[in-house]
Amino acid sequence: MTTPASDVSVASPPASKAKAKESVTCPMDFILRMLMGPWTTYILYNLRTHGPQRFGELKRRVTGISAKMLTERLRTLEGASLVKRDYEATIPPKVTYSLTQRGHELDDVMGRLAEIGTRWETEDAANRAMRAAAAELKAAE
Amino acid sequence: MTTPASDVSVASPPASKAKAKESVTCPMDFILRMLMGPWTTYILYNLRTHGPQRFGELKRRVTGISAKMLTERLRTLEGASLVKRDYEATIPPKVTYSLTQRGHELDDVMGRLAEIGTRWETEDAANRAMRAAAAELKAAE
DNA sequence: ACCAGTAGGTACCAATTCGTAACTTCGGGT
DNA sequence: ACCCGAAGTTACGAATTGGTACCTACTGGT
């Protein structure tokens, strides 16, 4: 902990903001800073479920991402050793991205998050249905 | 899945960007959109480890956050039912924030992420030390 | 001859974000 | 009398972000 009187620090304050002068050093800081990036989890999830893929393939799957973003995200993930980049200098160059072993260590957490997310979603849907029904009863009285 | 030809979707593309027109509906989408917010995990972690706290207390602990950000983040977390806000209209008003049951469901994942983060950190440190030693050997030859 | 696709890099531009500063209300300390 | 703190809200402004368009080099299809 570099800042005084702070014993918690999980994500990062400026969150990829260039400043982050005294970047509080906490276990979750780095990892969340990584997963937090826009599109990041899409990409990781995709690489996990569809296996190693080429740039264009990935771009087609992660609907809506721009080449710039995808490149930038992949470079970041590569720098974090979560993704491996294989470059083949064939004439139309062929670049394949895959999860590294470290990248696969997140499978577990990702799955768990997905499970929680799904549960909440169904719970919320049930609650909404409940409230809608209640409102209808009230309106019909 | 609202967008065609997309079977993956985890975080959100514009990531809290107001657009998000066709917000791809995926289990992790909502949850990560939440945790991804700047400071968010700091706050959750803090509320978990230090229990219910008042606004000022929280602000003092989450070093560097501005009142505006803290307010905004807490409102968002409240909206997501992860945090409960207790307002007492005493003369200096007293507002206490605490994790809801739903908020506590993340404890597990947070702990796991922290564990992975810590492991990676030590691994990286070990690797750096290794490389430094190797470089020194080479320089001394 | 011309366009598409591969895997990007670069410049520009709009929008969003986040911090700072000022304001609120009320009571208590000096 | 004056300022501070509680817990914000609001306005303003500066910086970052991320999309679009255009560029690369090379080849295969029509």
Side-chain angles (χ1 to χ4, degrees):
Chain A
M1 243 25 81
T2 56
T3 48
S6 168
D7 46 354
V8 314
S9 37
V10 179
S12 74
S16 84
K17 224 81 174 184
K19 345 188 181 180
K21 30 207 160 189
E22 315 189 30
S23 75
V24 262
T25 326
C26 167
M28 291 179 75
D29 192 43
F30 160 78
I31 199 165
L32 277 171
R33 207 193 289 252
M34 187 58 39
L35 301 181
M36 258 169 48
W39 303 98
T40 312
T41 39
Y42 272 100
I43 295 168
L44 290 178
Y45 186 85
N46 224 317
L47 284 175
R48 192 186 67 163
T49 58
H50 293 279
Q53 280 162 82
R54 300 185 51 186
F55 185 87
E57 215 171 334
L58 207 45
K59 179 161 173 357
R60 247 168 277 125
R61 281 234 178 72
V62 183
T63 325
I65 196 172
S66 66
K68 178 187 173 185
M69 252 292 102
L70 184 51
T71 303
E72 192 251 35
R73 289 286 92 199
L74 285 170
R75 290 289 135 79
T76 307
L77 289 170
E78 200 192 344
S81 302
L82 295 179
V83 157
K84 190 159 72 78
R85 175 187 147 109
D86 293 301
Y87 180 80
E88 282 180 69
T90 53
I91 271 313
K94 189 170 172 179
V95 186
T96 309
Y97 294 94
S98 55
L99 285 183
T100 60
Q101 195 182 344
R102 184 171 273 200
H104 276 298
E105 290 179 39
L106 292 173
D107 289 359
D108 193 39
V109 180
M110 302 245 288
R112 205 165 276 243
L113 272 179
E115 184 267 321
I116 295 179
T118 309
R119 184 151 39 79
W120 288 0
E121 210 165 347
T122 55
E123 281 172 18
D124 289 353
N127 284 338
R128 269 195 303 278
M130 208 88 95
R131 271 197 300 280
E136 206 156 327
L137 269 181
K138 203 170 174 186
E141 84 181 3
Chain B
M1 245 20 89
T2 56
T3 49
S6 168
D7 48 354
V8 313
S9 36
V10 180
S12 74
S16 84
K17 224 81 173 187
K19 349 188 184 179
K21 28 206 164 186
E22 314 189 31
S23 74
V24 260
T25 326
C26 166
M28 291 178 75
D29 192 42
F30 161 78
I31 199 165
L32 277 171
R33 209 193 288 253
M34 187 59 37
L35 302 180
M36 259 170 46
W39 303 102
T40 312
T41 38
Y42 272 99
I43 296 168
L44 290 177
Y45 186 84
N46 223 318
L47 284 175
R48 191 186 69 164
T49 58
H50 294 279
Q53 281 163 82
R54 300 185 51 187
F55 184 89
E57 215 171 334
L58 207 46
K59 180 164 173 353
R60 247 167 277 122
R61 282 234 178 73
V62 182
T63 325
I65 197 172
S66 67
K68 179 187 171 186
M69 253 291 102
L70 185 50
T71 304
E72 193 251 36
R73 291 285 91 200
L74 286 170
R75 290 289 135 79
T76 307
L77 289 170
E78 201 194 343
S81 303
L82 295 179
V83 157
K84 188 161 71 80
R85 174 187 147 109
D86 293 302
Y87 180 80
E88 282 180 68
T90 53
I91 272 314
K94 189 171 171 179
V95 186
T96 308
Y97 294 94
S98 54
L99 285 182
T100 61
Q101 196 183 343
R102 184 171 273 201
H104 276 298
E105 289 179 39
L106 292 173
D107 289 359
D108 192 39
V109 179
M110 302 246 288
R112 204 165 276 242
L113 272 178
E115 186 265 323
I116 294 179
T118 310
R119 184 151 40 79
W120 288 359
E121 209 165 349
T122 54
E123 281 171 17
D124 290 352
N127 285 338
R128 271 195 302 278
M130 207 87 94
R131 272 198 299 280
E136 206 156 328
L137 269 182
K138 200 170 175 187
E141 81 181 8

